[in-house]
Amino acid sequence: MKKGVMRPGHVQIRVLDMDEALKHYTDLLGLIETDRDDHGRVYLKAWTEVDKFSVVLRPADEPGMDFMAFKVVDEASLQQLEKDLADHGVEVEQVPEGELKDCGRRVRFNAPSGHTFELYADKKYTGKWGITEVNPEAWPRGLDGMKAVRFDHCLLYGPELAATYDLFVNVLGFYLAEQVLDGDGTRIAQFLTLSTKAHDIAFIHHEEKGKFHHASFYLETWEDVLRAADLISMTDTSIDIGPTRHGLTHGKTIYFFDPSGNRNEVFCGGDYNYPDHKPVTWQAEQLGKAIFYHDRVLNERFLTVLT
Amino acid sequence: MKKGVMRPGHVQIRVLDMDEALKHYTDLLGLIETDRDDHGRVYLKAWTEVDKFSVVLRPADEPGMDFMAFKVVDEASLQQLEKDLADHGVEVEQVPEGELKDCGRRVRFNAPSGHTFELYADKKYTGKWGITEVNPEAWPRGLDGMKAVRFDHCLLYGPELAATYDLFVNVLGFYLAEQVLDGDGTRIAQFLTLSTKAHDIAFIHHEEKGKFHHASFYLETWEDVLRAADLISMTDTSIDIGPTRHGLTHGKTIYFFDPSGNRNEVFCGGDYNYPDHKPVTWQAEQLGKAIFYHDRVLNERFLTVLT
Amino acid sequence: MKKGVMRPGHVQIRVLDMDEALKHYTDLLGLIETDRDDHGRVYLKAWTEVDKFSVVLRPADEPGMDFMAFKVVDEASLQQLEKDLADHGVEVEQVPEGELKDCGRRVRFNAPSGHTFELYADKKYTGKWGITEVNPEAWPRGLDGMKAVRFDHCLLYGPELAATYDLFVNVLGFYLAEQVLDGDGTRIAQFLTLSTKAHDIAFIHHEEKGKFHHASFYLETWEDVLRAADLISMTDTSIDIGPTRHGLTHGKTIYFFDPSGNRNEVFCGGDYNYPDHKPVTWQAEQLGKAIFYHDRVLNERFLTVLT
Amino acid sequence: MKKGVMRPGHVQIRVLDMDEALKHYTDLLGLIETDRDDHGRVYLKAWTEVDKFSVVLRPADEPGMDFMAFKVVDEASLQQLEKDLADHGVEVEQVPEGELKDCGRRVRFNAPSGHTFELYADKKYTGKWGITEVNPEAWPRGLDGMKAVRFDHCLLYGPELAATYDLFVNVLGFYLAEQVLDGDGTRIAQFLTLSTKAHDIAFIHHEEKGKFHHASFYLETWEDVLRAADLISMTDTSIDIGPTRHGLTHGKTIYFFDPSGNRNEVFCGGDYNYPDHKPVTWQAEQLGKAIFYHDRVLNERFLTVLT
């Protein structure tokens, strides 16, 4: 957080049928609906998140990610980051306060990878869901489905990883936790973090710009990953792969699809990092093991990404 | 155990290279070597087993299962079973005491499925490995790899499931815990048990006789299944599928291969059964989900079986 | 099950306030109410049980256990057991079909320990709760609280352990899985089982007859024991001890009290047994570790038992 | 980490008998010995730590903590912190490079609570133990005992919590994650963190200065906490309390003592925090539940602290 960027704050995802999507994100993932707006968007959060929302579903004709936003520690930091982005030659768009309900002004920009990101400093503080602020219980009763703990990160596909790295590391204050290098030493995957998490955003090289691989939600335990897998089956939800472990980050994971075709991950565990840690390197010839530690090969579905 | 047949007692497996096989079954699975004999066979047991061995590895030119044996509660029951087998028209072969070291006489016969089975009442009682008989600790320190708890069951492929059912249920005292029925109501898979376990032996229909699918070992927890998966990857062992859950029995599982190509399973959990429980039925059109509850399709490798 | 006695079938527990008791056994333990009768009794079951009920709550002025019943495999076995009890000099009381709703006739008798037991062969088969008989899911959604898997066993205190052993082992077909011996070799605790379970009934020596220590319910995992502990705290339920492990059986456990003062246990794991296993012995001087493996001392509350 | 202070870097603990102590910290906790020095001190680390050591054992006549150190992101930050400490009126002692082997210069000072702390920017980078830097496996085989993941935090007792808070928050850049307030709103416990961890250092009010409650080590899972508890019993190690959960931080925990009487904790889980999270408050009248969430009372041993 050396530039004041704290964590992933929200992601806006396009869905084809809002009722089906809501059922998926609430009954199955266990997110909580917190609001709706005039654009037909629905706002959701996971129970441990203290701000009002972290997932925004937007009705649309094709699935994918509109943008992902990071919360900044305060307005002063946001102004400095705005200036630093401009100095770096990044064009910045102002999104006014209230465009997302109960969210302060957002600073929007495109990364060289072709994805849209936002920074913001203010969002309505609602506290954790279902437990009190004083003498809080360990967890709330009444959570549904997978009981997702928090929106954790996104994995995105696109070109220009080096320029994207430069932007995230040198302007926004992320640091490199893990990477995949090809035989020439070119970075073909980069896992970037703001704190001790294994990653807050990850990029894998792809020829086309702006591809969306998945939005990921944190669970507490490997047993929760099993329960998630069971629920995927019980609800006849389309599974990608898992339960399994990643080589990269060593997180324990399962991938599946929302009814619109957006890929979700729920996962637990994963390595911790500090800025003085040398980045972990995986060699491209070990990419299968790097992605799926147990199978050691990529399944075909993993390679599909959304526009 | 209504006819005195208690549990799976041992399985003899053919291996191509004994050193590699031993490394697999001890360092990776965590079995303990307990003896060797003049035929080059090596005897192994899992730590909770009270008898001297449960797995016998035999050097051979092709992999597969020689036979599987069940322990009978006493000599009187063994004699009655011998008589019942003969009355049922089953040809019985006498294997003398000591043919397997420290094992009493064995009664050997073939099932209509084409597999060889044995019954025996006596084997040297060595007690659990690594803990005392008085005031025993919860588990022994010094176990390797997956720390397999016990040899649990085998899954076999072959024809004549109805006749095999008749033999196991009506002569040997097993009962049917689970089954898969095709559209005509024909049983194409049968999971048979002697106690409250989900299965002590299972058969899936196959045109050819005497096929071996896997020998299975019990683990304590889903976290142990994860550790097993990690170890499979760390030791570059060939994986089949998992970690996942079965629909049939609902056990949590992973399949992999020994260096000779014999499939092993390690698993935990699974439903309990009593003789008054109605058998659980899966429909053949749900076979994918019945076998692999999360993926809901059979992987190709699952279908391969050994002679 | 060598005499046809299969498993614990039900326990009738006295409660002071039925509403409070029901809230405890359904919202907290996760049992399901299945019926009520004219005596004000309420019938409950755990979700994996195939018969209609396993716990009967009876409104009364003081807490404790009225009786515990075992299910027998069929009417023929019940008649034989009745005869064997009579031959053993045990007075038998006939409880007619329907005295407990949807339960067949029961054979009632007192053990030398001062407790009342019953045998029965028939109870309405309702199947597992919340899942289908064909292609069943792994578990039902909608379970409450601790999601108890089954009524598992009782621990009772009383005198005459040797005579009680004789009755249970030689007449009813139980076998001894574990025991505590004092310095003179006298058995001061006996854990008896019918199948591969660690115990179906247990007795600890006590000067007074007919004391009730606890009724125990099975959970799936150590994580479920943690959830149980959390729920005990969230509902301000009186805790005895745990989460911890027993030395005897090595099960992982937590003890707590219903609103009437009856002690409950929920636990998972525990050693498996077969009739050919030598009983596990704990020495009385290690009783602390035998009961509570981690603390290695008995807490005071453990020693309290109900009339 | 807003002032560049990253994490707990090491703790120096006094032990009465080095051989016994080493056996405890390596065989039981699973730390790895990395060096010794001329003062008879022994250096240890946990396997995921990238620097050479995190625990220093010093032979002494009475147990307790000599000092605890935090690693700073770089020398420039260290110099700024030194200046800020001086500006805050804190006397600073210079400990030269090499006083602890392979550790750079340390800046030492006393907190108002009576404890000694250090800051340093450099320590020999040895990487994680037992796994490679490129294509690393999920965990190393060959870890002993509890397989401690990292030295995580200390809990200290002393007076002057407000002044200590001022020092840690305003000078060193910690933020308050959790607190206990008495009826007057006075803070009697403060849990301070540098990143998203539940705490990097915690203080509880005590009349006497410089008391040591425990040094804490992170484990991966609740199942690891059970294994730790089992190992405590198997090695006849003195237990304090657990396995249980804390109310404060909601971590899952067990407390025990090294052979010299120093209290250790191993724990897993626990809430995550960000600087924009409101501190979690527990009321002093709920202190029992705040400390031990399941028992909801403090055990007597918890109250004992070392000089």
Side-chain angles (χ1 to χ4, degrees), chain A residues 66-136:
Chain A
D66 283 337
F67 53 79
M68 181 187 178
F70 296 94
K71 190 175 186 188
V72 172
V73 72
D74 55 24
E75 173 65 21
S77 300
L78 184 58
Q79 288 174 16
Q80 183 63 48
L81 285 157
E82 225 173 325
K83 189 175 167 310
D84 294 348
L85 282 166
D87 290 351
H88 194 72
V90 178
E91 208 171 322
V92 160
E93 179 191 353
Q94 299 293 337
V95 184
E97 181 185 343
E99 194 280 330
L100 282 168
K101 282 171 86 167
D102 289 313
C103 185
R105 74 182 186 94
R106 289 131 64 203
V107 170
R108 185 179 287 173
F109 58 94
N110 291 319
S113 62
H115 301 92
T116 302
F117 294 98
E118 300 180 347
L119 302 175
Y120 70 95
D122 291 305
K123 191 181 285 177
K124 188 176 179 186
Y125 192 96
T126 52
K128 295 185 184 180
W129 183 87
I131 58 172
T132 51
E133 279 195 16
V134 176
N135 308 330

Side-chain angles (χ1 to χ4, degrees), chain C residues 6 11 16 29-31 69 80 104 106 124 137 164 204 210 226-227 229 231 254 263 273 276 280:
Chain C
M6 274 194 297
V11 61
L16 307 185
L29 247 94
L31 301 182
Q80 183 62 48
R106 289 130 63 203
K124 187 177 180 186
E137 302 293 356
T164 303
I204 292 186
L226 173 66
R227 278 182 55 86
L231 286 162
I254 188 164
R263 191 187 279 97
N273 281 283
D276 65 334
V280 172

Side-chain angles (χ1 to χ4, degrees), chain A residues 1 6-8 48-51 71 73 125 128 131 133-139 149-150 178 195-197 200 220-221 223 245 247 250 252 269 271-283 286 289 293, chain D residues 1 6-8 48-51 71 73 125 128 131 133-139 149-150 178 195-197 200 220-221 223 245 247 250 252 269 271-283 286 289 293:
Chain A
M1 305 178 205
M6 274 195 297
R7 65 168 177 267
T48 68
E49 294 165 354
V50 295
D51 289 339
K71 190 175 186 188
V73 72
Y125 192 96
K128 295 185 184 180
I131 58 172
E133 279 195 16
V134 176
N135 308 330
E137 302 292 356
W139 38 270
V149 169
R150 67 166 180 253
E178 302 211 23
S195 64
T196 59
K197 286 171 60 186
D200 284 309
E220 265 205 71
T221 69
E223 202 155 307
R245 188 197 281 277
H250 296 124
K252 297 147 235 171
D271 301 326
Y272 69 92
N273 281 283
Y274 279 96
D276 65 334
H277 283 205
K278 290 185 194 166
V280 172
T281 297
W282 287 81
Q283 295 167 303
Q286 291 282 324
K289 189 172 178 180
Y293 186 64
Chain D
M1 306 178 204
M6 275 196 296
R7 65 168 177 267
T48 68
E49 293 166 355
V50 295
D51 289 340
K71 191 175 185 188
V73 73
Y125 192 97
K128 294 185 184 179
I131 57 171
E133 279 195 15
V134 175
N135 308 330
E137 302 292 356
W139 39 269
V149 169
R150 67 167 179 255
E178 303 211 22
S195 64
T196 59
K197 286 174 59 186
D200 285 309
E220 266 206 71
T221 69
E223 202 154 308
R245 187 197 281 278
H250 295 123
K252 297 147 235 172
D271 301 326
Y272 70 91
N273 280 282
Y274 279 96
D276 65 334
H277 283 205
K278 290 185 194 165
V280 171
T281 297
W282 287 81
Q283 295 166 304
Q286 292 282 325
K289 188 172 178 181
Y293 185 64

Side-chain angles (χ1 to χ4, degrees), chain D residues 5 11 26 33 50 62 112 115-116 129 137 139 160 164 166 187 209 215 217-218 242 250 268 276 296:
Chain D
V5 184
V11 60
T26 58
E33 183 183 331
V50 295
E62 53 179 359
H115 302 92
T116 302
W129 183 89
E137 302 292 356
W139 39 269
E160 307 278 358
T164 303
D166 188 30
R187 195 182 292 121
K209 280 182 166 236
F217 299 86
Y218 195 73
H250 295 123
C268 74
D276 65 334
R296 288 160 277 160

